[in-house]
Amino acid sequence: DVKVTQSSRYLVKRTGEKVFLECVQDMDHENMFWYRQDPGLGLRLIYFSYDVKMKEKGDIPEGYSVSREKKERFSLILESASTNQTSMYLCAILGGANTEAFFGQGTRLTVV
Amino acid sequence: AQSVTQLDSQVPVFEEAPVELRCNYSSSVSVYLFWYVQYPNQGLQLLLKYLSGSTLVKGINGFEAEFNKSQTSFHLRKPSVHISDTAEYFCAVSEGSNYKLTFGKGTLLTVNP
């Protein structure tokens, strides 16, 4: 079974805090993605990585950064959390064109 | 840049009726196309995918989709829906050598008795 594990299911943080969301995979896949899911807006791509230390901005990168030091781990960083970053965050992996994307269980982040 | 448009945000239908969920995309290169389903309070599950070959793709739970390159569409269909098909459906496009994966905003399918 494919495992994509996000470090927390629920998280509550204060405005201005630096927040780390971790995603770990056991499939040795090259491509990893971070999305946020909001009602009526679908899944919006924040950042993705296609190899260790390689990253590309998605559609809404502002206020976020990422880190991929090892192939199995992809971290999303909220530099200074704000209330408009309250959302469900989903990590996904993709092993190339001929595979489906596998998702983590999601982290529901609330910024107060 | 690629984008995905799901033309209907909500689609209500009666049980056993046919349904079509529409998806259009824009991209300057060849793409791979996917439909995902998300049942209430659950994660995303792959319904079907188009990579190449036959433009009619069959997926799980009786769903199928047709890739139309000239119209840049990938509409999802089911000839007869069940109550259990009530869920949110997402169209997604992957393009480029880095396989950037972009999703549409989703279509909420509600099947009524």
Side-chain angles (χ1 to χ4, degrees), chain A residues 100 103, chain B residues 35-39 42-47 60-61:
Chain A
E100 64 181 274
F103 287 84
Chain B
W35 275 99
Y36 283 82
V37 60
Q38 187 174 37
Y39 298 103
Q42 293 190 28
L44 279 91
Q45 178 182 1
L46 180 70
L47 266 181
I60 61 171
N61 301 340

Side-chain angles (χ1 to χ4, degrees), chain B residues 3-18:
Chain B
S3 68
V4 182
T5 303
Q6 291 185 242
L7 295 152
D8 306 294
S9 59
Q10 297 187 52
V11 173
V13 294
F14 288 109
E15 196 173 17
E16 297 183 9

Side-chain angles (χ1 to χ4, degrees), chain B residues 2-54:
Chain B
Q2 69 193 56
S3 68
V4 182
T5 303
Q6 291 185 242
L7 295 152
D8 306 294
S9 59
Q10 297 187 52
V11 173
V13 294
F14 288 109
E15 196 173 17
E16 297 183 9
V19 71
E20 179 179 80
L21 306 184
R22 297 179 294 169
C23 174
N24 285 90
Y25 68 92
S26 66
S27 175
S28 56
V29 299
S30 294
V31 297
Y32 306 104
L33 299 157
F34 306 84
W35 275 99
Y36 283 82
V37 60
Q38 187 174 37
Y39 298 103
N41 299 313
Q42 293 190 28
L44 279 91
Q45 178 182 1
L46 180 70
L47 266 181
L48 48 78
K49 61 184 175 184
Y50 171 80
L51 304 178
S52 64
S54 173

Side-chain angles (χ1 to χ4, degrees), chain B residues 81-96:
Chain B
V81 293
H82 302 290
I83 300 279
S84 59
D85 292 322
T86 293
E88 191 154 25
Y89 292 79
F90 294 95
C91 182
V93 173
S94 175
E95 73 163 357

